[in-house]
Amino acid sequence: MKTLLYKNTKISYSDFGTGNTIVLLHGFLENKKMWKDYVDLFSEKYRIITIDLLGHGESDSLGYVHEMEDNANAVNEVLEHLKIEKAIILGHSMGGYVGLAFAELYPQKIQKLVLLNSTSKEDSAEKKLNRTRAIKAVKQNYIGFVSLAIANLFSENNRIRLTNEIEKVKEQALKTPLQGIVASLEGMKIRKDREWLLHENRFPVLLILGKKDPVLNYEESLSQIEDTTAELISFEDGHMSHIENKEELKTILSEFFN
């Protein structure tokens, strides 16, 4: 584990392998440890950077709102520090929002973008309301909120099949401090719509969706890539394709990275 300071805030990252750079960005309530299997596989051929986003894992919280732009700037700080000029960015869920903010702020640094169970669309009015409710809920019952939030990311038929994996995800999620959770919910709630980025077709985009994703509406998610050159991969499962569809995902990513 390595660390650096961004706005006087500790950012934790790791750096494996050599070759073309791939940056892996975790989602809400996750941290860089979620990528272990993927790091093991891809670091044989690529340089793999994993970063704990603000208020997650071993990175500190920056304030009361973690905007996607702040996270993107922290990612850039890591790349600058490592003298990396261009990278493939893969973001899971909230990590995808950060990847899109990075693509807007540093277009010259992005080689390809993978949105894994993520969207370029901003929150709907209903979703914003749900984020506000979530902030209230986590302040009232931290453990209850986190446990329920994690189970709800998997498709219903996988909640029994993947009990052990879900427990491991929960264990890591419960290490996320309350401030990190609240600040991220606030940041996701106010994030900009970046669908236009996909329509500019400036770099290859791969969108990976779960048809039974409990948190991202599949049909709505499809509309963002109409009339774009983005590639689409759909799985029959939920929001956690990196766990629910692990082996297929490894193959798909290998092809896209090449």
Side-chain angles (χ1 to χ4, degrees):
M1 181 195 88
K2 301 177 166 108
T3 59
L4 53 74
L5 288 180
Y6 163 69
K7 288 190 174 178
N8 234 4
T9 302
K10 183 182 81 174
I11 302 295
S12 175
Y13 69 95
S14 56
D15 180 2
F16 303 94
T18 54
N20 269 353
T21 303
I22 298 167
V23 177
L24 303 177
L25 302 175
H26 64 79
F28 177 58
L29 296 177
E30 297 170 332
N31 60 57
K32 63 183 181 308
K33 288 181 180 167
M34 70 171 273
W35 299 115
K36 188 191 177 308
D37 290 350
Y38 294 85
V39 169
D40 291 348
L41 173 69
F42 291 117
S43 60
E44 288 174 16
K45 199 173 170 185
Y46 301 97
R47 184 177 188 180
I48 306 293
I49 311 293
T50 64
I51 302 170
D52 279 335
L53 297 174
L54 294 165
H56 284 71
E58 291 159 301
S59 288
D60 292 338
S61 290
L62 182 63
Y64 295 107
V65 182
H66 291 157
E67 292 182 17
M68 298 306 111
E69 292 82 354
D70 267 321
N71 275 305
N73 287 329
V75 169
N76 184 57
E77 202 76 18
V78 172
L79 296 186
E80 286 281 297
H81 177 71
L82 297 173
K83 298 184 169 50
I84 292 166
E85 286 173 16
K86 229 175 169 63
I88 296 170
I89 307 274
L90 185 162
H92 178 243
S93 197
M94 182 179 81
Y97 310 155
V98 175
L100 285 156
F102 182 89
E104 182 181 4
L105 293 167
Y106 307 101
Q108 73 287 2
K109 293 188 177 184
I110 195 149
Q111 213 171 332
K112 296 180 178 183
L113 176 66
V114 183
L115 296 176
L116 176 60
N117 312 112
S118 192
T119 179
S120 60
K121 293 173 184 279
E122 66 185 327
D123 274 358
S124 64
E126 185 192 359
K127 199 100 190 228
K128 284 179 178 165
L129 196 60
N130 287 341
R131 301 250 192 234
T132 303
R133 287 185 185 130
I135 290 165
K136 198 176 169 186
V138 72
K139 285 178 177 174
Q140 284 172 349
N141 181 358
Y142 171 87
I143 293 174
F145 171 83
V146 171
S147 301
L148 191 62
I150 296 303
N152 284 346
L153 297 174
F154 292 80
S155 67
E156 272 184 49
N157 52 326
N158 280 334
R159 286 175 201 168
I160 294 165
R161 182 174 77 87
L162 297 170
T163 310
N164 290 347
E165 284 84 347
I166 293 171
E167 280 310 310
K168 283 178 199 163
V169 176
K170 221 177 267 186
E171 200 182 302
Q172 289 300 320
L174 287 165
K175 294 177 181 174
T176 317
L178 179 63
Q179 189 187 346
I181 294 177
V182 173
S184 297
L185 285 165
E186 293 283 12
M188 289 190 284
K189 185 168 75 175
I190 60 166
R191 76 181 190 281
K192 285 162 58 175
D193 191 287
R194 290 193 166 88
E195 201 177 322
W196 62 271
L197 266 173
L198 305 187
H199 289 263
E200 286 205 342
N201 302 322
R202 276 186 292 181
F203 43 79
V205 174
L206 174 62
L207 176 65
I208 299 166
L209 300 172
K211 289 183 183 176
K212 298 191 186 96
D213 190 326
V215 290
L216 267 189
N217 181 288
Y218 178 71
E219 299 302 329
E220 268 174 38
S221 299
L222 291 180
S223 64
Q224 68 188 310
I225 57 165
E226 275 171 25
D227 306 320
T228 73
T229 55
E231 249 181 275
L232 170 72
I233 296 290
S234 301
F235 290 122
E236 295 298 325
D237 297 285
H239 192 69
M240 305 293 268
S241 298
H242 59 288
I243 297 172
E244 294 175 275
N245 310 98
K246 190 190 281 184
E247 295 314 313
E248 305 101 294
L249 182 61
K250 284 178 180 174
T251 306
I252 286 155
L253 291 176
S254 294
E255 286 169 13
F256 186 70
F257 294 158
N258 272 333

